[in-house]
Amino acid sequence: MSPTMESREEAIKRLNEQADALKARAVPTPPDYGANAAGYGYRLMGEMIAGLAVGLGLGWGFDLLVGTMPWGIIAGTLIGFGMSIWLALRSARKMSAAALKEMGPPQDLPDDEADDERNF
């Protein structure tokens, strides 16, 4: 029995399928950061609001004790805002280090060839 000769189109199709399978194995799918990113965002937002609220409350309490009504609230709000920025930056650094340790360095997303074809 002689081996069957495949046509040129069939050979190209088979080689393209093998190349696609190899590419799928070589390019890892990026992890889904959606749920973690939303949680990190809410946590940072909570720290920002809490810092402002604590500063505002302390300034208001200081104003009630001393009797300098607008200045304690103003100073407390500014101090609370500064503290909330500092806390948010510290937390962001910790979250970034934890994400780097858990997920590894960031990777580029693979090119979406279907989008490229539609745009031209």
Side-chain angles (χ1 to χ4, degrees):
M1 298 183 104
S2 65
T4 60
M5 299 286 290
E6 60 183 342
S7 70
R8 182 177 221 159
E9 291 82 20
E10 290 172 351
I12 291 173
K13 183 179 176 184
R14 182 179 50 81
L15 289 174
N16 282 335
E17 288 173 357
Q18 289 175 352
D20 290 341
L22 180 62
K23 186 177 180 182
R25 286 185 303 198
V27 178
T29 58
D32 181 25
Y33 298 113
N36 289 341
Y40 291 158
Y42 285 128
R43 181 176 172 185
L44 291 175
M45 185 176 61
E47 287 180 0
M48 294 288 291
I49 291 172
L52 254 168
V54 167
L56 182 65
L58 289 175
W60 181 64
F62 180 78
D63 274 342
L64 288 179
L65 289 176
V66 178
T68 59
M69 190 43 126
W71 298 110
I73 291 175
I74 292 170
T77 302
L78 292 175
I79 291 171
F81 182 69
M83 288 299 293
S84 66
I85 295 287
W86 180 74
L87 286 172
L89 287 174
R90 189 182 72 165
S91 293
R93 283 189 199 112
K94 286 182 180 179
M95 287 184 256
S96 179
L100 181 66
K101 188 176 184 180
E102 177 184 336
M103 300 176 202
Q107 299 174 356
D108 288 338
L109 294 174
D111 291 336
D112 190 10
E113 295 173 5
D115 285 343
D116 292 341
E117 291 173 3
R118 280 183 268 162
N119 290 335
F120 292 110

